[in-house]
Each structure stands twice: as structure tokens, then as C-alpha cells.
Amino acid sequence: MRSLDALLRRGFPQRLVTVAWPQGMCLESDVFSACFMLKEMVADRMYENRPGFAPKPGQTVVDVGGHHGFFTLRAAARVGPGGRVLAVEAFPANLRLLKKNIDANELGWASAVGIAASDSAGEAVFHVFKLVTGGSLVFKPEGTEAITVAKDTLDHILAQERVAHVDLIKIDVEGACLSVLAGAKKTLEQRPLLAQKVAKVGVK
């Protein structure tokens, strides 16, 4: 953490680094993301503090807003080869790193798809943040760049990926959680455990 903090203070927030991840894995990310995600995921155990939310062997986990795989990798290590993890990530640059991290750690039971989970199928405007590697379908802070991404309902995404049952769903989509849930009616009938990260991006 000290090395990452030093790089961040010296003005290298977007430099790619490889960090050691739990269960003997490694993860490539940018300095800015690695700094706050290491604290949230490892020190604070942000999602695992939710009652019953820590993934268990053999479970199926869906990571909506997979980013670079901080939660995806941790979940994959916990569910093991008898389980499955599907990450959903709309931003192409994040998706490339996410897939690279899955492959680098030989997690054959984890996969990632490049699409935005939403309440309908089609295309959407995705606002790319200036500093953070990611963006939002909802928030448009000053300095964002607009790109077009594909979107679909989570129900259809899971059907396409042949995911018949879901135990846990983690959602981190910068303000678009309600749209994700609106497109997951069939999935929610299975009563999976849910955890959502509350976005802290100011709207302008």
C-alpha cells in the first residue's frame, strides 16, 4: 500500500501495476484503483461483511460492474472449480484487463462479458470518468467522455451465458443499480443474496 500511495502522490494515478491478491493470485490494475480497492476489498472486506454474502465453494456469483476483477478474482477463489463466476463489465478498457486477470490466474470457472446490465436491450451512452478507470450510464461529472456501449437485461445476459441459477449478485454500477434490478426479474425470483456499492460520484 505504501508504494501505491507514493505513486499516487507523485502523480501516476493511471500507471498500470501488478499487485498481489489474496489466495496467491495477482491482479493488474491502475494505481488509483488499486489504492482504494485494496483497502475496500481486503482491509475493510466491504462485501464480505454483509450477512452471509461471502462466496462459498460451489456457488454461482455474478459480478455486475466487474471493473478489473477485484471482486471477481476473490469470489472465484472462494467458489472454486465447482462453482462459477460471471463478471459483467461495460467499459472496453476495463474488460480487457478483467479478462487478462482471469486468464493470468487460470480461473477457468470465471468469465467476463462486455455489456452493460440494464432494464432493456440496445445501446446506451456511457460517460467515461476522467481519473477513475470506468464510468457511468447515469452520472456525468465534468470532464467525462461519452462512448456508446451495448446494453441488455441481466436476465437475458445470464440466459445467453447459460447461467441457470445464481447464489450471489454484487452490483457496482455508479448509480445504475435500479436499472440492473429492473432487468433481473426472473433472476431475482431465485432470491439470490445482493450487495450493492453506493456510488459517490457527484452529478453535474
Side-chain angles (χ1 to χ4, degrees):
M1 279 298 297
R2 291 177 182 175
S3 298
L4 291 172
D5 286 339
L7 285 171
L8 190 61
R9 287 196 303 271
R10 291 174 184 175
F12 298 104
Q14 296 181 340
R15 173 175 289 184
L16 291 179
V17 293
T18 300
V19 297
W21 207 235
Q23 288 85 33
M25 297 183 294
C26 63
L27 186 146
E28 186 174 343
S29 184
D30 60 277
V31 169
F32 185 88
S33 297
C35 277
F36 73 80
M37 291 303 291
L38 273 170
K39 181 179 185 300
E40 287 185 347
M41 297 296 299
V42 180
D44 298 341
R45 300 170 67 86
M46 180 173 60
Y47 296 110
E48 294 171 45
N49 282 333
R50 313 290 174 93
F53 196 79
K56 298 177 177 62
Q59 288 188 324
T60 296
V61 179
V62 177
D63 183 0
V64 184
H67 196 244
H68 298 159
F70 293 94
F71 181 79
T72 298
L73 267 61
R74 196 167 176 87
R78 288 186 173 275
V79 303
R84 183 172 181 187
V85 178
L86 177 67
V88 181
E89 174 55 52
F91 186 43
N94 283 348
L95 181 67
R96 287 191 291 271
L97 269 183
L98 173 57
K99 289 184 173 181
K100 182 178 180 180
N101 287 327
I102 290 172
D103 292 342
N105 291 282
E106 300 181 346
L107 300 170
W109 55 97
S111 58
V113 292
I115 195 166
S118 189
D119 55 1
S120 61
E123 293 184 337
V125 176
F126 187 84
H127 305 288
V128 181
F129 299 150
K130 187 175 182 180
L131 177 61
V132 182
T133 48
S136 174
L137 298 176
V138 177
F139 296 136
K140 187 182 177 181
E142 185 176 353
T144 57
E145 173 191 355
I147 64 172
T148 300
V149 299
K151 67 173 183 173
D152 204 347
T153 65
L154 188 58
D155 283 340
H156 190 242
I157 293 169
L158 296 180
Q160 290 287 97
E161 295 298 313
R162 298 183 179 180
V163 177
H165 175 77
V166 179
D167 297 294
L168 307 175
I169 302 176
K170 164 257 176 185
I171 304 174
D172 182 0
V173 287
E174 300 296 346
C177 182
L178 291 180
S179 293
V180 174
L181 296 176
K185 293 178 181 177
K186 291 183 180 178
T187 303
L188 294 177
E189 288 176 358
Q190 302 173 20
R191 303 184 67 83
L193 291 174
L194 296 171
Q196 174 204 2
K197 181 179 177 182
V198 178
K200 297 181 179 179
V201 179
V203 181
K204 188 174 181 64

